[in-house]
Amino acid sequence: MAKVNISEAARMSGKSRSHLYEKYINTGAITVESDRDGRKVIDTSELLRVFGTLHFDDNKKDVHEITEVHAEDNDKDMIVSALQSENEVLREYLRAKEEEVIWLRDQVSKTTALLTHQEDNLRPTQTKRWWWPW
């Protein structure tokens, strides 16, 4: 994004220069860089991060439009991340329900076998012993 000097940053944020230095720059809440001439500049994305909205002159409508697009992108990103996390929760819920359905089907088959007196095929059936006479 654009880099502005401290005075312009103060105008855009609606704060005084001394307030910017005292509360934000000296405490490290806003990162200040130096341009190639050694002057201190602040990236407008830093101002957006700290203050949310910025105030612009009417002759700088393009910068205001960029700010609005940036805010819309942030809103869309927040919505997308919320939907992704909700989607993951729903997938986990679906997996749990599928496991529950499998368990319930097993219980139904066991109950049906008990009610119809079906013997398990696991036990060997008794055969007539060769030495028994009848």
Side-chain angles (χ1 to χ4, degrees):
M1 296 204 100
K3 297 187 187 246
V4 295
N5 62 22
I6 305 294
S7 298
E8 185 64 25
R11 266 186 246 115
M12 293 168 80
S13 65
K15 311 283 184 200
S16 66
R17 280 177 50 104
S18 60
H19 186 74
L20 271 181
Y21 272 106
E22 184 180 326
K23 298 289 182 181
Y24 300 101
I25 296 173
N26 293 340
T27 61
I30 294 179
T31 305
V32 177
E33 303 172 10
S34 296
D35 63 0
R36 63 182 175 178
D37 296 329
R39 292 177 288 200
K40 293 184 178 182
V41 292
I42 299 175
D43 197 342
T44 54
S45 63
E46 284 285 309
L47 295 173
L48 283 172
R49 179 181 61 82
V50 174
F51 299 110
T53 59
L54 300 177
H55 308 286
F56 296 100
D57 295 337
D58 288 339
N59 58 357
K60 295 184 178 181
K61 289 183 181 178
D62 57 339
V63 177
H64 184 64
E65 290 172 3
I66 290 172
T67 305
E68 289 176 357
V69 169
H70 183 69
E72 288 175 9
D73 288 345
N74 284 342
D75 291 343
K76 288 178 183 176
D77 290 341
M78 288 174 32
I79 290 170
V80 166
S81 65
L83 289 174
Q84 286 174 340
S85 62
E86 181 182 3
N87 196 9
E88 187 60 36
V89 168
L90 290 173
R91 282 188 180 138
E92 185 62 34
Y93 182 75
L94 181 63
R95 278 188 222 112
K97 289 300 175 185
E98 287 173 348
E99 290 175 4
E100 185 179 358
V101 165
I102 291 170
W103 181 82
L104 286 172
R105 283 183 180 158
D106 186 44
Q107 293 300 314
V108 166
S109 66
K110 287 180 182 178
T111 305
T112 304
L114 286 173
L115 289 174
T116 58
H117 192 61
Q118 296 175 355
E119 292 186 21
D120 293 336
N121 293 334
L122 301 176
R123 281 194 313 186
T125 57
Q126 288 185 352
T127 58
K128 184 176 178 185
R129 298 182 187 130
W130 65 272
W131 51 270
W132 204 260
W134 58 85

